Amino acid sequence: MKRIHLPASRQELRELRAGEEVLLSGTIYTARDAAHKRLKELIEKGEPLPFDLQDAVIYYVGPTPARPGQVIGSAGPTTSSRMDPYVPLLCEHGMAGMIGKGRRSEEVRQAVMKHGAVYFVTVGGAGALLSKAITAAEPVAFEDLLSEAVVRLTVKDFPCFVGMDTEGNDIYDLADQCVSDR
Amino acid sequence: MREIEVSRIGKAIEDACGQMATVYSADIIRRIRSAAETETLPRAQSALNMLVKNAEIAEQESIPICQDTGMVIVFLKVGQDVHFTGGLLTDAIQEGVRRGYTENYLRASVVDDPLYDRKNTKDNTPAVIHTEITGGDQVEIELMAKGFGSENKSAVRMCTPAEGEEGIIRFVLDTIAAAGPNACPPFIVGVGIGGTFDSCARLSKKALMRPLDEDSSDPRYADLERRLLQKANELNIGPMGMHGRTTALKIQIEYEPTHIAGMPCAVNMCCHVCRHAKAVI
Ligand code: SF4
């Protein structure tokens, strides 16, 4: 199985194909509905963002609270489509990838193709397993949003599939349903 | 008449919240395991194996199966010979949910105002409560912690009597197809037929709480459940929507009397994390 270290180069991202199973390691940032709204507001006001979006990968997740001694609670993907309207703007400001679940809009496909970004999908309802691939979690911004705050995560062999590659191919539309996987 | 302290109801709810979040009911995980063995597409297999592994970790380490630990719906059946003491029943129920979520480190996912403020209530209250009065002196509590990835894909349709079985089949399959990858398949699908606009929706939620190994008590509806399951699995949505045979684990139908002019039908979509529990006091 392919291993990707994040942040990855655009060249590396271009080599990924929709449907491939990959293991991600490195740094990713959590953000979901409310955090996206705030990021957009900051960009529109021309104010600095709480983290460097250049080549960043955003994970659509709102984890459960960590128990004492845990790095993070259950941490699986939320439905990505609610974040679709923000993708073109964030891609323009450097975002290189997203992790979530479910279908994306045509607008996202265009943005991904234009900016050479990749959409990864992972398994919804596997939050306990996925939390085991998260080795560090450090709050970055919007802590008042509770589970929706932005957190910098360090991941090690985080299991995903390439959901949409830089050419706009979509895992959910693959005609050859048996490709990839090695 | 039997007196029951409302705090007992609250405690039962608190315990159930923690249990449901981390342990699949046996009938569901059994079906996921057997699907993992029969799927032939590598991606589908991979996704199902992750679910099996996830279930083991969740149970062993008390980590919620899914980070969306849901919104709580409580179905109460109260025997009319029961007298509640020690405060308001509703308060005790909400207190049970509050403690269940905060003390078990579950996610608070409820906002106070749906349209304008959308401020998190921080303790996952309020729960939605349905109460029914029955005979006897016992209280039956059934509860569910419903995730919204799948709730968002549910639908109600006022079918007409002339549409018949074919109309129901089309609506159920259309709803499943529209849910697609977003609602975390494999699904458990609750179908409520009959009643009114509102009651069929409630019925479809109740259908989700029936054990998967129990079919509808009416053989005609049981047969329809089986045919719908087969058709759903021919949609090739598959685990996580990445194609395959396992789109649904079970279709559960409940029905009730309705008006001569109507045939309301509700489809309550639920992901594989179909958390429900029951207690009798
Ligand atoms: S739909 Fe179900 S499995 Fe998917 S994120 Fe929501 S609760 Fe979890």
Side-chain angles (χ1 to χ4, degrees):
Chain A
M1 208 180 302
K2 205 179 263 184
R3 287 191 152 81
I4 315 270
H5 194 84
L6 299 173
S9 72
R10 299 283 164 156
Q11 179 52 38
E12 257 179 289
L13 295 182
R14 255 193 301 280
E15 285 163 13
L16 297 173
R17 283 292 155 268
E20 260 183 308
E21 209 171 333
V22 293
L23 296 171
L24 306 180
S25 297
T27 302
I28 60 178
Y29 293 89
T30 72
R32 45 174 291 160
D33 310 58
H36 273 78
K37 192 161 170 241
R38 291 206 189 162
L39 291 175
K40 175 172 181 248
E41 283 162 8
L42 289 174
I43 291 175
E44 282 170 349
K45 279 194 247 156
E47 285 175 22
L49 296 180
F51 64 97
D52 188 5
L53 205 50
Q54 193 55 49
D55 295 327
V57 171
I58 290 187
Y59 181 20
Y60 303 139
V61 59
T64 59
R67 283 178 189 272
Q70 279 180 336
V71 171
I72 196 166
S74 190
T78 191
T79 305
S80 307
S81 59
R82 296 191 314 273
M83 271 56 78
D84 285 355
Y86 303 102
V87 172
L89 181 73
L90 296 186
C91 276
E92 271 163 41
H93 286 77
M95 179 175 71
M98 300 150 273
I99 308 171
K101 67 168 168 93
R103 285 191 176 275
R104 309 306 302 261
S105 64
E106 179 56 25
E107 165 181 50
V108 170
R109 211 168 75 89
Q110 293 303 331
V112 155
M113 288 162 68
K114 183 170 168 202
H115 298 279
V118 170
Y119 168 48
F120 298 97
V121 298
T122 186
V123 174
L129 174 74
L130 292 169
S131 76
K132 292 289 170 184
I134 299 170
T135 57
E138 184 194 334
V140 169
F142 315 146
E143 281 176 75
D144 60 304
L145 296 179
L146 305 175
S147 71
E148 295 203 55
V150 172
V151 179
R152 182 186 295 115
L153 302 180
T154 309
V155 293
K156 172 111 184 44
D157 292 338
F158 188 89
C160 286
F161 300 85
V162 178
M164 199 181 273
D165 60 33
T166 54
E167 287 174 11
N169 300 306
D170 186 330
I171 191 171
Y172 302 119
D173 292 332
L174 291 180
D176 171 9
Q177 291 147 7
C178 293
V179 298
S180 90
D181 304 303
R182 279 288 91 79
Chain B
M1 194 182 65
R2 176 173 168 230
E3 294 205 337
I4 297 178
E5 270 277 338
V6 292
S7 61
R8 287 184 64 192
I9 312 279
K11 183 72 176 107
I13 288 174
E14 176 187 336
D15 293 346
C17 288
Q19 171 78 9
M20 285 188 297
T22 53
V23 185
Y24 271 108
S25 53
D27 52 343
I28 297 178
I29 191 64
R30 207 180 307 123
R31 279 175 195 243
I32 296 175
R33 277 182 204 280
S34 76
E37 280 159 22
T38 52
E39 272 291 357
T40 49
L41 294 176
R43 268 197 304 276
Q45 259 175 359
S46 212
L48 291 171
N49 286 334
M50 278 176 74
L51 293 184
V52 171
K53 191 92 189 292
N54 182 65
E56 291 165 5
I57 294 173
E59 185 166 352
Q60 281 159 14
E61 304 191 27
S62 289
I63 303 173
I65 299 167
C66 182
Q67 74 292 335
D68 180 358
T69 43
M71 182 167 186
V72 177
I73 305 110
V74 181
F75 288 90
L76 281 182
K77 274 192 193 147
V78 181
Q80 62 179 9
D81 295 330
V82 170
H83 176 228
F84 290 113
T85 60
L88 274 183
L89 176 63
T90 315
D91 292 349
I93 292 171
Q94 303 297 4
E95 180 61 18
V97 172
R98 178 176 302 121
R99 295 173 73 94
Y101 274 69
T102 51
E103 306 207 346
N104 291 300
Y105 296 86
L106 306 184
R107 197 180 79 183
S109 312
V110 175
V111 292
D112 57 354
D113 174 281
L115 181 55
Y116 296 112
D117 306 329
R118 294 198 66 87
K119 237 179 86 225
N120 196 307
T121 61
K122 301 194 173 169
D123 57 14
N124 219 46
T125 63
V128 174
I129 305 171
H130 301 288
T131 314
E132 196 184 317
I133 306 293
T134 60
D137 61 2
Q138 291 191 325
V139 178
E140 183 191 292
I141 311 157
E142 273 196 283
L143 69 164
M144 184 160 206
K146 188 70 172 68
F148 258 56
S150 53
E151 190 75 354
N152 279 340
K153 295 292 179 183
S154 305
V156 175
R157 182 163 181 272
M158 303 307 284
C159 300
T160 62
E163 287 177 82
E165 191 195 60
E166 208 179 298
I168 300 289
I169 291 175
R170 199 177 325 117
F171 177 52
V172 172
L173 292 177
D174 284 352
T175 307
I176 295 173
N182 294 24
C184 296
F187 303 126
I188 293 154
V189 184
V191 181
I193 309 174
T196 54
F197 177 74
D198 54 315
S199 75
C200 73
R202 189 173 49 202
L203 206 56
S204 69
K205 184 145 271 110
K206 280 197 147 174
L208 290 175
M209 300 193 294
R210 195 208 303 153
L212 299 189
D213 299 331
E214 239 173 67
D215 295 337
S216 171
S217 53
D218 183 312
R220 295 165 303 171
Y221 286 91
D223 182 54
L224 181 55
E225 289 177 348
R226 275 190 292 277
R227 282 183 286 139
L228 277 169
L229 179 63
Q230 193 182 345
K231 285 179 193 291
N233 285 336
E234 282 163 9
L235 293 173
N236 194 26
I237 294 170
M240 289 306 125
M242 301 187 296
H243 309 295
R245 297 233 5 120
T246 321
T247 298
L249 299 174
K250 181 78 194 284
I251 316 285
Q252 308 259 79
I253 304 175
E254 293 288 333
Y255 63 94
E256 62 187 4
T258 188
H259 189 275
I260 48 172
M263 189 174 64
C265 181
V267 180
N268 197 180
M269 296 301 300
C270 192
C271 54
H272 54 93
V273 191
C274 186
R275 290 161 289 216
H276 56 93
K278 188 173 175 173
V280 178
I281 290 175

